[in-house]
Amino acid sequence: MNYKILAIETSFDDTSVAVLQGRRVLSNVVYSSTDLHKKWGGVVPDISRRAHMENIKGVYNEALSRSRLDIKDIEYIAVTYGPGLAIDLEVGLNFAKDLVKKYNKKFVPVNHMEGHLLSPFILNSKGKGLIEDIDEEVFPAIGVLVSGNHTELIFVKDFCEYEKLGETLDDAAGEAFDKVGRMLDLGFPGGPVVSEFAKKGKRGNIEFSVPMKHSGDLNFSYSGLKTACLYKIRELREEGKSDNDWVYDFCRGFVDAVSKSIIFKLDKALQEREVKSVFAGGGVLVNEYISRSIGRKAKEFDKKYYLPPIKYRTDNAAMIGVAGYFNILNGNFGDLQIDREPRLEL
Ligand code: KG4
Ligand code: ZN
């Protein structure tokens, strides 16, 4: 089961290729085109597509050379086929299919969100990681996925057996971070800056109500919070205050509201479902306040908590390789007819 897998990820603004042996990551190269989108205030699909086209060969060569394997050694090509931006997904998918045909490899299409979900299974090249013993009883689990385009709670019965418990009805949490960052003129992507500013803010000075607290289900929504932020910024600016006087407290209030919304729904899910652990993944969880809050909630319910290292929380091909690995074990591979699916669900 030491399959040699080359994994490719191009669903958004990161071009990434990883080489794995089983769950062990031999190399993981990420080229981000984020800087190219800065002046547009968000990811422009055409620009990221061009960046993927220009960089994928180089990222691929670098990943292979760092892994010290040759393409001849690789048995499986795993690739993200959705969800994501259609014209970006296409670049990775076509590159993968070309490799499969040219070198006669086996083809493993992977759901990007399954990559985030299973990212805690990643091991380093020496076999060290969060879950080293595959017989460790981790399932059933609740998966908490918080990324730029998704906010979801997943019931994981077992590998490849998922049930969506809740999701965002409008914006994802990451999107809200980025939009609030833009409203505050903090540039793109706003998420990391808003998180840094929040650390300097004082809790309670500026507060927002927790979205969807009384919805009775496990869904999320961030458009109301976003609008509340917009009005609050206007109000503060109209009062003639300089942004510097309140921006840290503002970010603190925003992060608290997002965090509470996630914790509140996770609590409900943990009451409703009997699970052994909580899995977390996605770029927003780089915010340690949010990821630790999730950990505390898991502990309160006496559940194990699996949160991958920071470099595997944001988009990367290593997580696609690990998800690919479990798909191979489950026999989910081989269909070269598969096309990109921008709205693919888990
Ligand atoms: O998982 P990811 O890399 O890509 C998607 O699949 O969407 O997540 C990207 C999102 C962006 O919205 C970005 O602003 C957010 O993750 N993000 C953060 C932080 N770092 C990245 N949000 C809050 N705090 C951070 N430190
Ligand atoms: Zn992602």
Side-chain angles (χ1 to χ4, degrees):
M1 296 207 286
N2 258 332
Y3 311 120
K4 296 187 187 74
I5 305 165
L6 184 128
I8 300 168
E9 156 65 39
T10 62
S11 67
F12 204 40
D13 59 341
D14 295 313
T15 315
S16 182
V17 178
V19 177
L20 291 86
Q21 189 155 359
R23 293 190 288 135
R24 285 193 293 123
V25 177
L26 306 183
S27 66
N28 177 52
V29 179
V30 184
Y31 168 83
S32 172
S33 68
T34 305
D35 282 350
L36 303 177
H37 304 281
K38 275 194 158 70
K39 69 172 171 183
W40 305 104
V43 171
V44 182
D46 256 337
I47 295 178
S48 47
R49 177 181 174 276
R50 206 172 317 136
H52 289 313
M53 300 273 281
E54 279 167 13
N55 294 298
I56 192 152
K57 192 77 205 288
V59 172
Y60 161 81
N61 284 334
E62 181 69 27
L64 264 181
S65 103
R66 284 194 206 170
S67 75
R68 294 170 188 267
L69 292 184
D70 189 87
I71 186 66
K72 291 196 197 76
D73 305 319
I74 301 291
E75 299 161 84
Y76 294 88
I77 307 287
V79 61
T80 305
Y81 73 107
L85 299 169
I87 59 174
D88 292 319
L89 288 164
E90 239 163 55
V91 180
L93 200 53
N94 289 340
F95 192 81
K97 286 181 180 175
D98 286 348
L99 289 175
V100 167
K101 288 182 213 151
K102 185 167 172 196
Y103 298 105
N104 196 23
K105 308 295 181 194
K106 293 182 189 118
F107 180 64
V108 192
V110 173
N111 181 320
H112 181 84
M113 297 315 289
E114 189 177 24
H116 278 302
L117 181 64
L118 300 181
S119 57
F121 282 101
I122 291 174
L123 300 178
N124 71 13
S125 61
K126 298 189 174 66
K128 297 281 166 219
L130 296 175
I131 307 166
E132 290 171 12
D133 179 1
I134 200 62
D135 293 325
E136 188 174 326
E137 290 207 6
V138 296
F139 295 140
I142 300 271
V144 186
L145 304 181
V146 197
S147 70
N149 296 302
H150 292 80
T151 310
E152 297 177 342
L153 287 175
I154 309 285
F155 177 68
V156 188
K157 197 165 167 222
D158 206 339
F159 290 109
C160 306
E161 284 186 57
Y162 311 119
E163 179 190 340
K164 196 180 285 173
L165 300 176
E167 65 188 326
T168 182
L169 303 177
D170 38 57
D171 291 355
E175 230 172 321
F177 263 92
D178 294 336
K179 285 181 181 162
V180 166
R182 201 176 317 153
M183 291 175 204
L184 293 167
D185 304 319
L186 301 179
F188 173 81
V193 190
V194 170
S195 288
E196 278 312 304
F197 278 22
K199 285 187 199 160
K200 300 182 191 165
K202 197 157 173 278
R203 170 157 315 120
N205 277 357
I206 296 180
E207 287 185 308
F208 297 100
S209 49
V210 180
M212 299 289 278
K213 203 169 168 183
H214 303 292
S215 69
D217 55 20
L218 293 171
N219 289 327
F220 304 90
S221 162
Y222 293 102
S223 68
L225 175 61
K226 209 178 58 188
T227 311
C229 285
L230 182 67
Y231 288 148
K232 190 74 192 166
I233 293 170
R234 265 194 213 149
E235 182 191 312
L236 290 162
R237 285 180 179 161
E238 273 164 17
E239 283 171 15
K241 290 181 182 153
S242 145
D243 284 18
N244 295 337
D245 296 338
W246 50 265
V247 71
Y248 299 140
D249 292 344
F250 186 99
C251 290
R252 174 80 266 166
F254 170 77
V255 170
D256 276 359
V258 173
S259 179
K260 281 182 187 155
S261 75
I262 296 167
I263 298 308
F264 192 80
K265 297 297 164 114
L266 174 60
D267 183 289
K268 189 166 161 57
L270 286 167
Q271 288 179 46
E272 290 176 7
R273 299 290 175 132
E274 190 48 52
V275 296
K276 292 197 170 68
S277 56
V278 173
F279 274 55
V284 176
L285 301 182
V286 173
N287 180 310
E288 297 284 355
Y289 178 76
I290 298 179
S291 45
R292 285 201 194 118
S293 303
I294 297 173
R296 272 196 301 278
K297 183 54 75 183
K299 198 164 176 212
E300 193 185 308
F301 278 79
D302 211 15
K303 309 298 177 196
K304 291 180 272 190
Y305 180 44
Y306 298 108
L307 171 74
I310 284 183
K311 65 177 170 181
Y312 298 134
R313 290 179 212 166
T314 49
D315 287 351
N316 65 87
M319 69 183 193
I320 302 305
V322 156
Y325 171 78
F326 289 112
N327 275 285
I328 296 166
L329 290 181
N330 280 277
N332 301 336
F333 61 91
D335 186 0
L336 258 187
Q337 301 306 315
I338 232 160
D339 200 1
R340 83 265 188 299
E341 283 194 39
R343 295 181 185 280
L344 184 66
E345 301 258 343
L346 197 59

